[in-house]
Amino acid sequence: MSTLSGIYTPNTGSLLEIAHSTLLMPNQIESPQLDEVFGQLLTHRLDYADLYFQYTRSESWSLEEGQVKSASFNIDQGVGVRAIAGEKTAFAYSDDISRGALLAAAHATRAIAQSGAEHRHRVVTHGQRRELYLPTDPLTTLEDAQKVALLEQLERYARAIDPRVTQVMASLNAEYDVVFIARSDGHQAADVRPLVRLSLQVIVEQDGRREQGSAGGGGRSGYEYFDDARLRLYAEQAVHQAIVNLSAGPAPAGTMTVVLGAGWPGILLHEAIGHGLEGDFNRKGSSAFSGRIGERVAATGVTVVDDGTIAHRRGSLNVDDEGNPTQCTTLIENGILKGYMQDSLNARLMGVPVTGNARRESFAHIPMPRMTNTYMLNGDKDPREIIASVKHGLYAVNFGGGQVDITSGKFVFSAAEAYLIENGRIGAPVKGATLIGNGPDVLTRVSMIGNDMALDPGVGTCGKEGQSVPVGVGQPTLRIDGLTVGGTG
């Protein structure tokens, strides 16, 4: 159903048709078999049960030392069976999609169902049709030789920018994911999820000093996303970052004004604040934001949303992993906490609507409330005005790794590219800067918000309780007062 160009125009109902033909028909699973499984599950009283079928094809190509040295290809499929009664969840999965495996998984899960709602007659419904991305198979949008040539071209672009580039490493990844969800309330939904990503890392060397830079991106499309202009942009960004770090001095330490750049620095927002706004942490009272709906939790002007409906974005989904449509959920509006991200379990127990944020790594994992694309909305300041307002501080353009404690909100992030700000001007680059703070507290220290909101290039992967899912982040340029910077100087 895909072509070498990645262009495919689906028919009405095609997502369900693709899911049925990929997952159910080859395994002789039809409506009577689904009814039989739910019938076994619902011999006891349950609040909810679902079946999550998944078929995934993925590949990865890696370039190093001028050659594509490794390539991998994988096919995985299976089904997860979940039953919920009250706060209790039972879950079983199998990589064998068959009537016998489904019934065995149902038998394994139904033992928890000792209380809950009475079973009601099921009427099959289908979700509202949505197409945030085409159901193309990205693995087929280029021939293997073209994938190798793409990586080799990227390396040539990087090396041609500066003779100090001594090493180039790149990887190309694609995934074709077909899911079908059947629920005990009769609702059925399907999604066909393409995903591509390109990562580039360069090493430069001068006078015995070696530094590195990285770039990349991707989204829900075929490999045609990586056109020549985009390859050149990635090469320029990675080499620029590495060259800047060659001349970078030690970062200062202390409490100071920090300006965060637009786009990828939103990863700080994601980690330090976003996780604390997920429903499960708040239902259990373990988040620093628990019980604070309606309270001021951020400075005036700070509005944060989680939006799974942005076309072609890495964190977007037509439906979440419980079959509910994703949506744009306002979490913080003008500094006031408005709500949390919810899956069906936590929404039911908290007495609030679902928000389409149920996500799982695969059929072998339990869904939980997770972020999609989380970002801060624009303010009214020109980024140049924000820089000009700082007498002495740090300008963090790009981030590397970081960590956060959900309960306390404390975080530590390392800046991959940063500069001093002196008397309202961007000064010398510095290396080794870490930002240290508390998520709820840092929101109250935002004093200026830029009008240049940007989303990240499509590289984010979020980890939670051992599960990884693709996400997006974003923000405009921000001025944060009184942030602790751990430095090397």
Side-chain angles (χ1 to χ4, degrees):
M1 294 191 179
S2 56
T3 68
L4 286 181
S5 67
I7 302 301
Y8 169 67
T9 303
N11 300 317
T12 300
S14 65
L15 295 182
L16 276 168
E17 291 169 2
I18 294 171
H20 276 264
S21 64
T22 302
L23 289 160
L24 303 187
M25 291 173 57
N27 298 292
Q28 289 77 54
I29 302 295
E30 297 181 1
S31 293
Q33 285 74 43
L34 298 179
D35 289 338
E36 185 180 12
V37 175
F38 283 118
Q40 185 172 121
L41 282 169
L42 296 166
T43 55
H44 295 287
R45 288 179 293 179
L46 292 172
D47 288 304
Y48 177 90
D50 62 17
L51 311 176
Y52 183 87
F53 297 84
Q54 184 178 31
Y55 169 87
T56 304
R57 296 171 64 235
S58 59
E59 68 176 4
S60 178
W61 301 77
S62 298
L63 176 144
E64 191 172 353
E65 297 179 1
Q67 297 181 350
V68 176
K69 292 188 173 182
S70 65
S72 63
F73 177 81
N74 186 62
I75 296 179
D76 197 16
Q77 69 173 13
V79 59
V81 179
R82 181 174 59 143
I84 298 174
E87 296 187 21
K88 296 181 295 182
T89 297
F91 179 74
Y93 68 91
S94 172
D95 56 10
D96 174 23
I97 299 178
S98 67
R99 173 182 175 274
L102 280 168
L103 291 174
H107 179 75
T109 59
R110 70 178 182 176
I112 67 111
Q114 300 301 317
S115 63
E118 293 285 348
H119 171 49
R120 293 182 292 272
H121 178 66
R122 299 193 309 114
V123 177
V124 174
T125 63
H126 302 300
Q128 183 178 1
R129 180 174 176 79
R130 174 191 283 174
E131 286 178 7
L132 299 175
Y133 34 82
L134 293 176
T136 188
D137 180 354
L139 283 72
T140 66
T141 56
L142 286 181
E143 300 290 348
D144 288 353
Q146 294 174 302
K147 298 166 190 174
V148 172
L150 185 153
L151 289 172
E152 291 174 339
Q153 184 64 62
L154 181 61
E155 182 191 34
R156 285 194 292 271
Y157 285 152
R159 290 188 178 276
I161 292 172
D162 196 290
R164 290 170 288 183
V165 175
T166 60
Q167 191 171 358
V168 177
M169 294 154 285
S171 64
L172 182 66
N173 303 275
E175 182 177 286
Y176 175 68
D177 196 29
V178 182
V179 301
F180 173 72
I181 302 115
R183 302 193 320 213
S184 56
D185 61 3
H187 183 80
Q188 294 181 0
D191 202 4
V192 179
R193 302 166 176 172
L195 188 64
V196 294
R197 176 175 171 174
L198 182 61
S199 300
L200 172 66
Q201 183 178 24
V202 302
I203 295 177
V204 297
E205 186 171 354
Q206 180 178 345
D207 300 328
R209 179 170 174 173
R210 292 165 59 89
E211 296 291 347
Q212 68 178 29
S214 60
R220 295 200 177 277
S221 68
Y223 283 135
E224 72 279 357
Y225 181 83
F226 304 116
D227 58 18
D228 194 67
R230 205 174 297 274
L231 295 184
R232 290 180 183 274
L233 176 64
Y234 293 160
E236 291 167 0
Q237 289 174 336
V239 173
H240 169 77
Q241 186 182 109
I243 296 300
V244 165
N245 285 329
L246 268 182
S247 60
T255 300
M256 64 186 72
T257 299
V258 174
V259 176
L260 303 181
W264 178 246
I267 189 64
L268 188 149
L269 184 78
H270 168 104
E271 293 289 358
I273 300 156
H275 279 296
L277 297 177
E278 292 168 339
D280 48 355
F281 295 126
N282 288 281
R283 176 176 65 84
K284 298 171 184 176
S286 59
S287 167
F289 293 99
S290 296
R292 300 188 63 190
I293 298 292
E295 294 183 13
R296 176 164 296 281
V297 296
T300 300
V302 172
T303 297
V304 179
V305 302
D306 182 85
D307 188 355
T309 71
I310 309 173
H312 308 297
R313 291 295 306 179
R314 179 175 171 85
S316 295
L317 299 170
N318 286 316
V319 294
D320 73 0
D321 291 331
E322 292 177 332
N324 294 309
T326 53
Q327 63 187 52
C328 182
T329 301
T330 299
L331 304 171
I332 298 171
E333 184 174 24
N334 198 24
I336 305 299
L337 182 61
K338 291 294 184 178
Y340 308 121
M341 292 165 277
Q342 301 287 2
D343 62 350
S344 63
L345 169 64
N346 291 281
R348 175 176 56 83
L349 293 173
M350 296 178 74
V352 297
V354 298
T355 60
N357 284 94
R359 305 193 65 186
R360 59 173 102 199
E361 182 176 319
S362 76
F363 67 88
H365 299 83
I366 294 177
M368 64 185 84
R370 306 287 301 271
M371 284 172 275
T372 56
N373 305 296
T374 310
Y375 56 95
M376 185 184 296
L377 271 56
N378 267 331
D380 60 356
K381 303 299 182 185
D382 187 303
R384 293 170 296 184
E385 180 184 354
I386 296 176
I387 295 293
S389 73
V390 180
K391 183 175 182 180
H392 174 73
L394 184 76
Y395 179 37
V397 178
N398 215 330
F399 279 120
Q403 59 186 14
V404 63
D405 181 327
I406 302 299
T407 302
S408 67
K410 293 180 180 178
F411 64 81
V412 178
F413 274 88
S414 61
E417 181 182 348
Y419 303 83
L420 294 176
I421 303 176
E422 297 289 352
N423 297 317
R425 296 180 180 274
I426 297 173
V430 294
K431 186 182 179 188
T434 58
L435 306 185
I436 305 166
N438 175 283
D441 176 66
V442 77
L443 283 179
T444 68
R445 297 179 178 273
V446 174
S447 59
M448 298 179 76
I449 304 173
N451 58 10
D452 59 339
M453 198 287 289
L455 297 172
D456 77 282
V459 297
T461 298
C462 173
K464 177 180 176 181
E465 297 183 19
Q467 294 192 41
S468 296
V469 296
V471 297
V473 301
Q475 67 175 40
T477 298
L478 298 178
R479 171 176 164 154
I480 303 175
D481 295 332
L483 191 60
T484 300
V485 176
T488 52

